[in-house]
Amino acid sequence: MRSAIEERADWAEVERPDLARLAPNGKLAIMFSDIEESTALNERIGDRAWVRLIGKHDKAVRRLVDKHHGYVVKSQGDGFMIAFAQPEQAVRCGLDIQSSLQKRPNGIRVRIGIHVGKSMLRGDDVFGRNVAMAARVAGQADGGEILVSEAVREAVSQCDDIAVDDGREAELKGFTGSHTLYAVTS
């Protein structure tokens, strides 16, 4: 069975968003977000409350993506695939998403994963290894957590307002070897 995050990674091959303006050289920071245990939350609060909750979540995420100059590539149900020109934009957006959720007593815990690298742009389509890597990073995150790859950690290392932990090793499906992932702490 495929995870919701893996399905969103595949969407990039189907949709044709206008990403050329965002990254003319093909290098993108890709963020995946997903509500932790969304089915159980839906069951607990009921369909009507769930639909309202998802609507508010969707509106808040889109507002914050716009604030940080990102582009929603795809959203479905309880998750998003978002592209940014710079990794620090993605991390700051993720921090704002997590902060906004902490202010609301709605029971949503979102896991976020971010990776940066060259993605294949064909017309307005984005796909490739780095999209899959971002999805795998997100799949390792817990609710309320933002995980970033080594490439993102390096890219934001000079940003005074972004801090990460010492990292943890993870095996990522489809990728050889072990990869160090870092939790954003501020």
Side-chain angles (χ1 to χ4, degrees):
M1 180 154 69
R2 296 168 48 91
S3 74
I5 291 171
E6 289 172 326
E7 289 176 8
R8 276 189 282 291
D10 291 343
W11 298 337
E13 296 182 15
V14 177
E15 287 296 300
R16 304 212 179 284
D18 179 20
L19 294 174
R21 65 172 171 73
L22 195 61
N25 65 356
K27 190 172 182 180
L28 292 168
I30 302 291
M31 175 183 7
F32 281 92
S33 73
D34 183 58
I35 296 177
E36 181 182 58
E37 299 183 11
S38 60
T39 303
L41 179 59
N42 185 348
E43 177 75 18
R44 192 173 74 243
I45 67 174
D47 289 340
R48 285 191 181 157
W50 175 250
V51 169
R52 284 192 304 273
L53 189 64
I54 287 295
K56 288 178 185 176
H57 174 67
D58 185 72
K59 184 183 274 187
V61 168
R62 289 178 185 279
R63 181 180 50 78
L64 293 169
V65 167
D66 286 345
K67 173 185 172 186
H68 292 281
H69 309 290
Y71 187 89
V72 174
V73 176
K74 196 73 160 173
S75 70
Q76 181 179 22
D78 65 343
F80 288 86
M81 177 185 175
I82 304 163
F84 296 87
Q86 302 297 323
E88 58 269 20
Q89 294 170 311
V91 173
R92 289 180 181 124
C93 182
L95 286 166
D96 280 355
I97 289 169
Q98 297 294 24
S99 177
S100 74
L101 292 173
Q102 289 174 356
K103 295 174 185 172
R104 297 180 180 178
N106 57 21
I108 291 181
R109 290 177 39 92
V110 173
R111 55 184 175 216
I112 294 174
I114 304 168
H115 178 65
V116 64
K118 245 188 166 100
S119 296
M120 298 298 297
L121 297 176
R122 183 178 47 187
D124 289 334
D125 198 355
V126 59
F127 58 96
R129 177 186 183 281
N130 288 308
V131 172
M133 176 66 81
R136 299 302 186 265
V137 171
Q140 294 290 316
D142 292 324
E145 184 175 49
I146 302 167
L147 280 184
V148 299
S149 65
E150 176 71 30
V152 173
R153 186 197 63 81
E154 288 177 14
V156 301
S157 65
Q158 300 302 311
C159 298
D160 292 337
D161 61 330
I162 298 173
V164 299
D165 69 5
D166 293 332
R168 65 185 186 237
E169 295 300 308
E171 299 288 325
L172 303 177
K173 182 180 171 186
F175 291 91
T176 58
S178 182
H179 300 267
T180 306
L181 304 179
Y182 302 86
V184 176
T185 58
S186 67

